[in-house]
Amino acid sequence: MSVEIIKAEHLTKYYGNFLAVNDISFSVNKGEIFGFLGPNGAGKTTTIRMLTGILNPSSGRIEVFGMDMKKHKIEIRERTGIVPEMANPYIDLSAMRNLRLMGRLYGMKGREIEKRSVELLKLFNLYEKKDTKVRGFSKGMKQRLSLAMAMLPDPELLFLDEPTSGLDVMSARLIKRIIREEQKKGKTIFMNTHNMQDANELCNRVAIINHGKLIAIDTPEKIKEIGAKSNVIEFSLSPFKFEGGIVEGRVEILGDKVKVYTAEVDETIKKIVNYAERENLKIVSLNVEKPSLEDVFMALVGEKNE
Amino acid sequence: MSKLSQFSRSLAIVKKDMLVFYLKGPVVLMGLLFPFFLFGAFLIGRDLSHAYLFVALLAMTVFFTSTAVGPAIIPWEARSKTFERLISSPVSITTVLFGDMQASFYFGLIITSFISLTAIFLGISLNLLIFIPVVILALLTFSAMTILMSSYPPTDIPADVMMLTSLVKFTLLFISGIFVPLEKLPEYARVISYFSPLTYLVDALRYSVSLHGYFPLSLDLILLSVFALGFFFSGVAVHKKVLEKRFT
Ligand SMILES: Nc1ncnc2c1ncn2[C@@H]1O[C@H](COP(=O)(O)OP(=O)(O)OP(=O)(O)O)[C@@H](O)[C@H]1O
Ligand SMILES: [Mg+2]
């Protein structure tokens, strides 16, 4: 029996006349990594701000830990860690002082704060810099500190708004590894992202949101099945030359590679081979793949979004 | 959530404000240097009693020091993207603003305490039983005023707020009976001065140095308290109302 940690019912948010989030409902279970996926401006941050009680929804209801957000905001937050989208630690304070501030805001005891801070600074590879002002930190270091600040009170629930966006591979990996470890400890994680790969690797379930509307919600595998009828045939010809008209289905040309989305694998490959023979081109590579989460995502949200 | 734990969390905010804002350039300029330039300018070419001078100096010190830190805090936090993190922790907006108000208060208190020592050099006999409560109450009032000042417009440009608040501050300075005592003001100017909380500080301070006040001391104290509560709670209300606009 799964326990619902977050329950959102008919959440709607207007900014003035602008409808940013349009009647979305979903729930997140205990121990889950739940990915909230969508293009820029889809309403991800707005949703997370409502779920964390920073913004009041225009209508709809939010329950976290079985408590109504309207009535129990502070109690809910005591058990929640939050990394806002542009979460900057205080640049005039050291890493350690930033952590201490968070600890105090969560009502932790001094000794507990010190112990946990050192633990987290080590975990996030920031221990050497603990007394350095954050002003001199790189983006990745700031983001790691930010996550450490959210994790300081050892919350049961973490809200992360694009935790790996704009980070180098090392920092992103470290953060992803820590997110997984938190899950293993039984924590629930709600994360916004537009990185398909992260969503695919990390999330137990993802919701796809576009123009404020929820358009799919399921496990990454199930979501991929939405597009399973179609396959992706990716190939490259040398010297590069290709006329879209010769195959059926959606065609994308990426550099010297061509991607064809089609249900007819056999027929399409034969056409490509014929074309290559006819035009005297060498087939450099040819792969048939199931659609990735990104492919399905693109198919779902359309390509009007940049 | 208990009031007590919110209070102790507001102290964490005070500490943060002290570490981050007390030594910022504009704060030092507006809070420390400015009142003394102004006081100097006020002195030149006048022959005034020590008691009278002391009242003017203290009123300006209380007023400028307690309003130096506050106005820019929230806009600065919004700009440097620390605001969202702060209000997403388990504290209410009221707690955050109460912390900011205390930070203004302590800044004012520390500097005013030092400046009060001039009473010794000026050979003034100060009635501390009046002086201390009046100064503390006024520091609270003006600290609370900064909460209202920083609430609107919901900008994230500290310089804009600083400019607007300077405008307000100077206006208040000239209508509050510091430079010209209330009884010597023309009727219409006196009526305007009733709207400035600074008027009641100046008036109350006179009692502490055995000068006559224009209003009864008790009325000064009551009005300062009313201003303090009015400023703080209206400031909190406006901050809550415009909160959304700070996240664009
Ligand atoms: N405070 C605000 N006032 C007015 N409009 C806003 C405000 N915040 C967001 N919006 C608008 O609401 C829409 C959703 O914004 P939101 O920040 O939730 O998107 P997002 O999915 O997080 O996008 P991104 O991937 O760029 O972070 C956007 O069109 C945005 O312009
Ligand atoms: Mg966002």
Side-chain angles (χ1 to χ4, degrees):
Chain A
M1 183 48 215
S2 56
V3 181
E4 283 178 351
I5 295 283
I6 304 172
K7 205 161 130 193
E9 286 170 354
H10 304 293
L11 275 193
T12 300
K13 180 71 190 177
Y14 282 93
Y15 292 112
N17 291 325
F18 179 75
L19 180 56
V21 171
N22 184 358
D23 190 20
I24 63 175
S25 300
F26 60 89
S27 55
V28 178
N29 298 326
K30 186 169 165 51
E32 219 175 13
I33 301 182
F34 187 87
F36 213 59
L37 218 61
N40 288 131
K44 302 182 295 293
T45 298
T46 305
T47 304
I48 229 173
R49 282 177 177 155
M50 289 192 283
L51 295 177
T52 51
I54 294 171
L55 286 183
N56 292 321
S58 307
S59 64
R61 220 179 97 85
I62 296 164
E63 241 179 49
V64 181
F65 305 125
M67 291 183 276
D68 186 349
M69 178 55 81
K70 263 208 189 105
K71 291 186 203 122
H72 302 277
K73 195 183 283 185
I74 304 286
E75 284 107 311
I76 292 172
R77 288 204 191 140
E78 304 225 296
R79 298 160 64 183
T80 307
I82 302 172
V83 179
E85 183 167 31
M86 311 234 247
N88 285 334
Y90 288 90
I91 54 172
D92 295 309
L93 302 182
S94 67
M96 195 65 202
R97 280 216 190 272
N98 270 290
L99 286 163
R100 274 190 207 128
L101 170 64
M102 283 321 277
R104 292 285 178 206
L105 291 177
Y106 275 83
M108 293 166 71
K109 299 262 175 315
R111 196 168 321 143
E112 198 186 340
I113 296 176
E114 299 302 306
K115 185 167 156 265
R116 178 87 177 138
S117 297
V118 170
E119 228 172 82
L120 286 168
L121 285 166
K122 286 185 177 153
L123 181 64
F124 283 99
N125 282 334
L126 291 168
Y127 189 71
E128 274 72 53
K129 300 272 183 184
K130 73 182 165 67
D131 298 315
T132 313
K133 283 200 176 161
V134 172
R135 187 180 292 282
F137 279 23
S138 72
K139 183 168 181 179
M141 289 160 75
K142 280 189 196 151
Q143 185 68 2
R144 278 181 272 149
L145 177 57
S146 222
L147 191 52
M149 286 162 77
M151 284 169 55
L152 188 75
D154 201 16
E156 295 158 57
L157 171 62
L158 280 168
F159 283 100
L160 314 173
D161 198 344
E162 303 195 15
T164 59
S165 125
L167 302 189
D168 67 21
V169 185
M170 294 296 277
S171 289
R173 271 203 188 169
L174 177 66
I175 287 179
K176 283 190 269 182
R177 199 191 78 216
I178 292 169
I179 292 174
R180 273 192 212 100
E181 280 166 11
E182 285 300 292
Q183 181 187 32
K184 277 191 201 121
K185 290 184 206 152
K187 308 294 162 71
T188 308
I189 291 123
F190 181 102
M191 60 182 270
N192 278 354
T193 178
H194 43 219
N195 185 323
M196 300 303 139
Q197 203 174 339
D198 285 5
N200 195 26
E201 282 174 28
L202 279 174
C203 299
N204 303 102
R205 280 196 307 145
V206 296
I208 296 180
I209 183 177
N210 193 26
H211 298 304
K213 268 221 145 312
L214 213 53
I215 52 179
I217 175 164
D218 219 319
T219 62
E221 292 310 312
K222 283 263 172 57
I223 286 194
K224 281 185 241 171
E225 274 174 24
I226 298 174
K229 304 183 296 299
S230 71
N231 294 277
V232 187
I233 301 171
E234 187 184 289
F235 63 94
S236 182
L237 301 172
S238 170
F240 184 72
K241 183 173 161 203
F242 188 70
E243 290 142 38
I246 64 149
V247 293
E248 273 156 40
R250 194 156 64 88
V251 176
E252 244 174 55
I253 300 181
L254 309 159
D256 65 347
K257 285 197 178 60
V258 182
K259 272 185 161 185
V260 182
Y261 297 82
T262 178
E264 309 298 334
V265 178
D266 173 68
E267 191 185 313
T268 309
I269 292 178
K270 283 178 182 155
K271 280 180 180 165
I272 294 165
V273 173
N274 281 341
Y275 174 76
E277 267 176 4
R278 205 166 57 233
E279 301 288 323
N280 211 1
L281 306 171
K282 190 171 152 213
I283 298 176
V284 183
S285 68
L286 193 149
N287 294 303
V288 182
E289 275 165 18
K290 288 284 160 205
S292 65
L293 191 56
E294 180 167 346
D295 296 327
V296 179
F297 178 81
M298 289 305 289
L300 285 174
V301 305
E303 285 167 283
K304 277 159 262 136
N305 294 292
E306 10 80 278
Chain B
M1 186 38 40
S2 75
K3 293 271 182 295
L4 188 67
S5 81
Q6 287 289 307
F7 178 74
S8 88
R9 289 174 201 189
S10 81
L11 297 180
I13 289 168
V14 177
K15 187 163 180 196
K16 175 265 298 175
D17 287 344
M18 288 178 164
L19 291 167
V20 175
F21 295 103
Y22 273 19
L23 291 175
K24 287 227 182 282
V27 171
V28 173
L29 199 71
M30 286 303 293
L32 299 180
L33 304 179
F34 208 76
F36 302 110
F37 280 124
L38 211 68
F39 183 67
F42 164 70
L43 270 183
I44 290 168
R46 298 204 197 197
D47 186 19
L48 298 164
S49 78
H50 282 182
Y52 192 79
L53 276 180
F54 182 76
V55 168
L57 175 63
L58 259 290
M60 277 194 240
T61 306
V62 167
F63 183 55
F64 278 100
T65 54
S66 59
T67 53
V69 187
I73 295 183
I74 299 288
W76 189 93
E77 300 242 20
R79 175 176 206 103
S80 50
K81 311 287 178 203
T82 53
F83 187 56
E84 190 170 349
R85 143 136 304 139
L86 201 58
I87 62 164
S88 60
S89 64
V91 292
S92 65
I93 307 249
T94 313
T95 304
V96 172
L97 294 172
F98 184 58
D100 291 344
M101 177 184 142
Q102 290 175 74
S104 290
F105 173 79
Y106 293 126
F107 186 79
L109 186 65
I110 294 164
I111 295 163
T112 305
S113 304
F114 280 109
I115 302 300
S116 303
L117 298 178
T118 51
I120 300 168
F121 304 110
L122 292 172
I124 288 167
S125 67
L126 200 55
N127 183 343
L128 290 178
L129 283 179
I130 299 176
F131 181 77
I132 292 173
V134 165
V135 165
I136 287 180
L137 181 58
L139 287 168
L140 285 172
T141 306
F142 296 123
S143 306
M145 187 167 84
T146 67
I147 300 300
L148 184 59
M149 284 170 157
S150 67
S151 67
Y152 202 87
T155 171
D156 64 353
I157 305 169
D160 284 0
V161 183
M162 288 304 228
M163 217 162 68
L164 267 169
T165 54
S166 299
L167 208 73
V168 174
K169 282 195 250 179
F170 283 108
T171 311
L172 292 182
L173 197 63
F174 287 103
I175 61 166
S176 302
I178 293 187
F179 302 119
V180 184
L182 283 188
E183 56 269 19
K184 292 196 183 142
L185 283 176
E187 182 65 26
Y188 76 91
R190 200 178 316 139
V191 172
I192 294 174
S193 74
Y194 295 166
F195 293 97
S196 163
L198 188 53
T199 301
Y200 307 102
L201 167 62
V202 176
D203 201 57
L205 280 174
R206 290 175 161 215
Y207 287 98
S208 73
V209 293
S210 320
L211 289 173
H212 286 294
Y214 184 81
F215 305 106
L217 178 59
S218 56
L219 184 66
D220 290 330
L221 296 178
I222 289 169
L223 285 172
L224 281 173
S225 315
V226 169
F227 271 109
L229 294 172
F231 283 143
F232 184 71
F233 289 106
S234 61
V236 170
V238 178
H239 271 292
K240 282 186 181 164
K241 184 126 190 109
V242 300
L243 191 65
E244 227 163 73
K245 305 223 160 59
R246 297 201 187 265
F247 300 130
T248 24

